[in-house]
Amino acid sequence: MDFHPQPAPGTARPWAFPAPDRGTLENGLTVLTSHRPGQQVVAVELFLPAPLDAEPAGLDGVATIMARALSEGTDQHGAEEFAAELERCGATLDAHADHPGVRVSLEVPVSRLPKALGLLAEALIAPAFLDTEVERLVRNRLDEIPHETANPARRAAKQLSKELFPADSRMSRPRQGTEETVAAIDAAAVRAFYEAHVRPATATAVVVGDLTGVDLEKVLAETLGAWTGEPGEALPMSPITADDTGRVVVVDRPAPSRPSSSSAGSVPTGTPASGRPRSLARTASAGP
């Protein structure tokens, strides 16, 4: 039997990550844009420097609830109406909180970009933060926690953070809060966190897609440019330290469906002076 010859690889071509164009709107919002011909779905990433370190004591998880509530209605549209407006644009809007801050992600066909950016601006300028919506988001988060605790990998990751970082460090506690801290969150706490940390002067927007024929400067000025807020400086990330002492931690999971054991450790990377650990975790499950 004769086979076709194996295709030979082509000549490697040099490639460099495209450098974005940088600008600033009149409200202080930093904008990075990258024209990518052929990419008809535009991706917009907005970073809000609201680190988890800034969450008030006893309210771990308020940044997560605030991020989720941004798309749950505004002063102009209720939650269902806002979702319907996004659907009419063919757009998706997501937000999540992590240790450095809150990221808001928008994807939309380039032909609907002005409308979708207007909705994004609306969510940033005038989120409703209704009591009923915040209460629902809190209940949803409380329902998620037992599932995370029952998952060996998630449980191991939580314990790893607790063992690795100092007890007074936000890094040592669950990123989205515990049952006790989440249960204490209400609409007033969410709005207070929003008012303290969400402002254009410290935020950065990244726009990537095929921008042929799009007057992006005008579109941004008419949408995100209408966002106002007090001037301020981004909160710096606190120095991160970790205990690299080698050890084995056994986590007891009461009445699991299958017995399991978890182990976690860390090894340093970079120079010894960097103090930045590289985490390694493994979860093993045994049969009954």
Side-chain angles (χ1 to χ4, degrees):
M1 180 180 295
D2 296 329
F3 293 96
H4 290 288
Q6 182 178 358
T11 303
R13 294 179 296 176
W15 186 87
F17 196 86
D21 296 323
R22 178 183 292 267
T24 304
L25 301 186
E26 291 186 1
N27 59 5
L29 176 67
T30 299
V31 178
L32 305 178
T33 60
S34 181
H35 174 53
R36 305 299 296 160
Q39 185 173 319
Q40 295 300 312
V41 175
V42 176
V44 180
E45 291 280 339
L46 188 79
F47 177 73
L48 306 170
L52 299 189
D53 271 342
E55 291 179 316
L59 291 177
D60 288 358
V62 69
T64 292
I65 299 300
M66 184 204 73
R68 295 181 179 185
L70 287 175
S71 59
E72 297 296 334
T74 68
D75 287 356
Q76 300 180 44
H77 297 94
E80 293 184 359
E81 293 174 330
F82 190 80
E85 289 295 320
L86 285 171
E87 289 183 2
R88 292 189 185 99
C89 294
T92 59
L93 181 65
D94 298 296
H96 74 277
D98 209 336
H99 288 284
V102 175
R103 285 180 56 185
V104 184
S105 304
L106 172 71
E107 290 191 351
V108 62
V110 65
S111 60
R112 308 290 178 84
L113 180 61
K115 175 65 174 178
L117 280 177
L119 292 171
L120 172 60
E122 185 180 320
L124 293 168
I125 295 170
F129 295 145
L130 297 178
D131 289 345
T132 53
E133 293 298 337
V134 172
E135 290 169 1
R136 178 179 61 81
L137 292 172
V138 167
R139 290 195 302 269
N140 289 348
R141 177 64 198 133
L142 290 174
D143 288 341
E144 294 170 359
I145 294 175
H147 294 282
E148 295 172 356
T149 303
N151 183 291
R154 299 293 293 273
R155 184 67 184 86
K158 286 185 178 181
Q159 190 66 30
L160 175 63
S161 296
K162 183 177 180 180
E163 296 290 332
L164 195 60
F165 301 105
D168 60 351
S169 169
R170 182 63 178 87
M171 297 282 290
S172 70
R173 304 193 298 275
R175 179 171 56 86
Q176 299 181 85
T178 64
E179 289 181 335
E180 293 77 14
T181 62
V182 172
I185 297 171
D186 57 16
V190 171
R191 181 163 290 281
F193 190 78
Y194 161 84
E195 291 176 348
H197 302 290
V198 178
R199 54 176 61 91
T202 58
T204 300
V206 181
V207 184
V208 180
D210 190 335
L211 304 175
T212 304
V214 178
D215 188 347
L216 189 60
E217 184 176 347
K218 178 183 177 182
V219 171
L220 289 172
E222 294 175 348
T223 54
L224 293 178
W227 179 21
T228 60
E230 296 294 327
E233 296 182 358
L235 296 176
M237 283 285 293
S238 301
I240 299 174
T241 59
D243 180 3
D244 291 335
T245 305
R247 59 199 181 278
V248 174
V249 178
V250 178
V251 180
D252 179 31
R253 296 173 59 236
S257 57
R258 299 177 62 185
S260 62
S261 62
S262 303
S263 63
S266 68
V267 294
T269 59
T271 62
S274 69
R276 293 179 299 174
R278 180 180 181 182
S279 302
L280 174 66
R282 178 187 300 171
T283 301
S285 297

